[in-house]
Amino acid sequence: MKKTILTVAFLATALFSSAQDSKIKAGLNLGLPMGDIKDDYSFNVGINGSYLFPISDKFYVGGTVGYEHYNGKTIETNIFGVPVKTEIKSAGFIPVAASAEYMFNDKFFGALDLGYAIGIAPSGIDSGFLYQPKIGYAIEKFDFLLGYKAIAVSGGAYSSINLGVAYKL
């Protein structure tokens, strides 16, 4: 038990002592579904946390993890003149990705997340490759983002155009 406590304390100290130049962020994004899913889902909302460390004064790399939710619609169709309502179940994913960010100047940046999104809802949903290019505008404690997110699954992709904000810790 003492070894575990000492190891955790050592790792926390190492993490926070190197965090002076690092970026730790907590974010929220809202999106409009596109492509394969635009007729079945009304919106996308997500939360995430990321940790980026500097490679140079303009380039950062690290990782991100979060939760993405795609809200299902109720679709009405006619079958032989009879209206039928079908409720699409909402979809949930846990994305785990590598992240890179390049600062063009002290305000504007471009970023890319590449990883895997684990499908958790509804039961039996596919997991898939995640890619998310984005551009942003940075101020002292916040980043504002515009991006495209896609989770490639068998038979299509969960994709959306997103607006987001991240708080820099």
Side-chain angles (χ1 to χ4, degrees):
M1 182 67 167
K2 287 181 185 180
K3 287 182 183 181
T4 303
I5 292 171
L6 288 173
T7 302
V8 169
F10 174 76
L11 290 173
T13 302
L15 174 67
F16 289 112
S17 66
S18 68
Q20 293 175 11
D21 294 331
S22 299
K23 296 181 180 187
I24 301 171
K25 302 178 189 182
L28 171 70
N29 65 281
L30 298 172
L32 293 174
M34 302 178 58
D36 299 332
I37 66 165
K38 70 180 178 192
D39 295 332
D40 296 337
Y41 296 90
S42 56
F43 67 90
N44 161 242
V45 63
I47 58 170
N48 61 63
S50 63
Y51 177 78
L52 302 169
F53 58 92
I55 298 298
S56 71
D57 61 338
K58 292 184 179 265
F59 186 61
Y60 293 79
V61 297
T64 184
V65 66
Y67 176 75
E68 294 294 329
H69 179 84
Y70 290 84
N71 193 57
K73 291 181 180 178
T74 299
I75 300 170
E76 189 171 315
T77 56
N78 284 320
I79 299 178
F80 302 113
V82 178
V84 175
K85 290 186 179 183
T86 304
E87 187 172 322
I88 305 296
K89 292 183 178 180
S90 295
F93 296 91
I94 297 175
V96 178
S99 188
E101 181 179 295
Y102 181 80
M103 299 296 298
F104 297 113
N105 57 35
D106 60 344
K107 297 289 182 197
F108 293 98
F109 63 91
L112 177 64
D113 298 341
L114 295 173
Y116 195 71
I118 303 162
I120 60 169
S123 179
I125 191 169
D126 287 341
S127 299
F129 177 70
L130 165 83
Y131 54 99
Q132 183 176 13
K134 48 195 169 183
I135 56 172
Y137 181 77
I139 60 176
E140 186 175 330
K141 280 293 194 179
F142 292 94
D143 285 350
F144 298 97
L145 303 139
L146 172 64
Y148 173 80
K149 178 185 338 159
I151 300 168
V153 296
S154 63
Y158 287 83
S159 60
S160 58
I161 292 287
N162 296 285
L163 288 175
V165 62
Y167 178 72
K168 300 179 212 175
L169 302 171

